[in-house]
Coordinates of all heavy atoms in Angstrom, one line a residue:
V38 N -17.4 47.6 -107.0 CA -16.3 48.3 -107.8 C -15.3 48.8 -106.7 O -15.7 48.8 -105.5 CB -16.9 49.5 -108.6 CG1 -17.9 48.9 -109.6 CG2 -17.5 50.5 -107.8
Y39 N -14.2 49.3 -107.1 CA -13.3 50.0 -106.2 C -13.9 51.3 -105.7 O -14.5 52.0 -106.5 CB -11.9 50.3 -106.8 CG -11.0 49.1 -106.8 CD1 -11.1 48.0 -107.7 CD2 -10.0 49.0 -105.8 CE1 -10.2 46.9 -107.7 CE2 -9.1 47.9 -105.7 CZ -9.2 46.9 -106.7 OH -8.4 45.8 -106.6
K58 N -11.8 63.3 -108.0 CA -12.6 62.7 -109.1 C -13.0 63.7 -110.2 O -13.4 63.3 -111.2 CB -13.9 62.1 -108.5 CG -13.7 60.8 -107.8 CD -15.1 60.3 -107.3 CE -16.1 60.0 -108.3 NZ -16.1 58.7 -109.0
R60 N -15.6 65.6 -109.6 CA -17.1 65.3 -109.5 C -17.8 66.5 -109.0 O -17.4 67.2 -108.1 CB -17.2 64.1 -108.6 CG -18.7 63.8 -108.1 CD -18.7 62.4 -107.5 NE -19.9 62.1 -106.8 CZ -20.3 60.9 -106.7 NH1 -19.6 59.9 -107.2 NH2 -21.4 60.6 -106.0
N64 N -23.5 65.8 -105.9 CA -23.8 64.4 -106.1 C -23.3 63.7 -104.8 O -22.2 63.6 -104.5 CB -23.0 63.9 -107.3 CG -23.4 62.5 -107.7 OD1 -24.3 61.9 -107.1 ND2 -22.8 61.9 -108.8
P143 N -17.2 57.2 -103.1 CA -17.8 57.0 -104.4 C -16.9 56.0 -105.1 O -15.9 55.5 -104.5 CB -17.5 58.4 -105.0 CG -16.3 58.9 -104.4 CD -16.3 58.3 -103.0
S144 N -17.2 55.6 -106.3 CA -16.4 54.8 -107.1 C -15.0 55.5 -107.4 O -15.0 56.7 -107.5 CB -17.1 54.4 -108.4 OG -17.6 55.5 -109.0
A145 N -13.9 54.8 -107.5 CA -12.6 55.4 -107.5 C -12.2 55.7 -109.0 O -11.0 55.3 -109.3 CB -11.6 54.5 -106.8
N146 N -13.0 56.3 -109.7 CA -12.7 56.6 -111.1 C -12.8 58.1 -111.3 O -13.5 58.8 -110.5 CB -13.7 56.0 -112.1 CG -15.2 56.3 -111.7 OD1 -15.7 55.8 -110.7 ND2 -15.8 57.2 -112.4
L147 N -12.2 58.7 -112.4 CA -12.5 60.1 -112.7 C -13.9 60.2 -113.1 O -14.5 59.3 -113.7 CB -11.6 60.5 -113.9 CG -10.1 60.6 -113.5 CD1 -9.3 60.8 -114.8 CD2 -9.8 61.7 -112.5
S148 N -14.5 61.3 -112.7 CA -16.0 61.5 -113.0 C -16.2 61.4 -114.5 O -15.5 61.9 -115.3 CB -16.4 62.9 -112.6 OG -17.7 63.0 -112.5
G149 N -17.3 60.6 -114.8 CA -17.6 60.4 -116.3 C -17.0 59.1 -116.8 O -17.5 58.5 -117.8
A150 N -15.9 58.6 -116.3 CA -15.2 57.4 -116.7 C -15.9 56.2 -116.1 O -16.6 56.3 -115.1 CB -13.8 57.4 -116.4
P151 N -15.8 55.0 -116.7 CA -16.3 53.8 -116.1 C -15.8 53.5 -114.7 O -14.6 53.8 -114.5 CB -15.9 52.7 -117.1 CG -15.5 53.3 -118.3 CD -15.0 54.7 -117.9
S152 N -16.6 53.0 -113.8 CA -16.1 52.6 -112.5 C -15.0 51.6 -112.6 O -15.0 50.8 -113.5 CB -17.3 52.0 -111.7 OG -18.2 53.0 -111.4
P153 N -14.0 51.7 -111.7 CA -12.9 50.8 -111.7 C -13.2 49.4 -111.1 O -13.7 49.3 -110.0 CB -11.8 51.5 -110.9 CG -12.6 52.4 -110.0 CD -13.9 52.6 -110.6
E181 N -21.9 48.8 -109.8 CA -22.1 49.4 -108.5 C -23.3 48.8 -107.8 O -24.2 48.3 -108.5 CB -22.2 50.9 -108.6 CG -21.1 51.6 -109.4 CD -21.3 51.6 -110.9 OE1 -22.2 50.8 -111.4 OE2 -20.6 52.3 -111.6
R196 N -31.1 53.0 -108.3 CA -30.0 52.5 -109.2 C -30.0 51.0 -109.1 O -29.8 50.5 -108.0 CB -28.6 53.1 -108.8 CG -27.5 52.6 -109.7 CD -26.2 53.2 -109.3 NE -25.6 52.6 -108.1 CZ -24.5 53.0 -107.5 NH1 -23.8 54.0 -108.1 NH2 -24.1 52.5 -106.4
H237 N -22.6 58.9 -117.6 CA -21.9 58.1 -116.7 C -21.3 56.9 -117.4 O -21.7 56.6 -118.5 CB -22.8 57.5 -115.7 CG -22.6 58.0 -114.3 ND1 -23.6 57.9 -113.3 CD2 -21.5 58.5 -113.7 CE1 -23.1 58.4 -112.2 NE2 -21.9 58.8 -112.4
Y238 N -20.3 56.3 -116.8 CA -19.9 55.0 -117.2 C -19.4 54.8 -118.6 O -19.2 53.7 -119.1 CB -21.1 53.9 -117.1 CG -22.0 54.1 -115.9 CD1 -23.3 54.5 -116.0 CD2 -21.5 53.9 -114.6 CE1 -24.1 54.6 -114.9 CE2 -22.3 54.1 -113.5 CZ -23.6 54.4 -113.7 OH -24.4 54.6 -112.6
Ligands
MG431 MG1 -19.6 56.3 -109.6

Side-chain angles (χ1 to χ4, degrees):
V38 300
Y39 276 82
K58 280 180 64 83
R60 169 166 168 150
N64 191 359
S144 47
N146 53 286
L147 291 172
S148 193
S152 293
E181 308 85 346
R196 181 178 72 182
H237 247 157
Y238 321 114

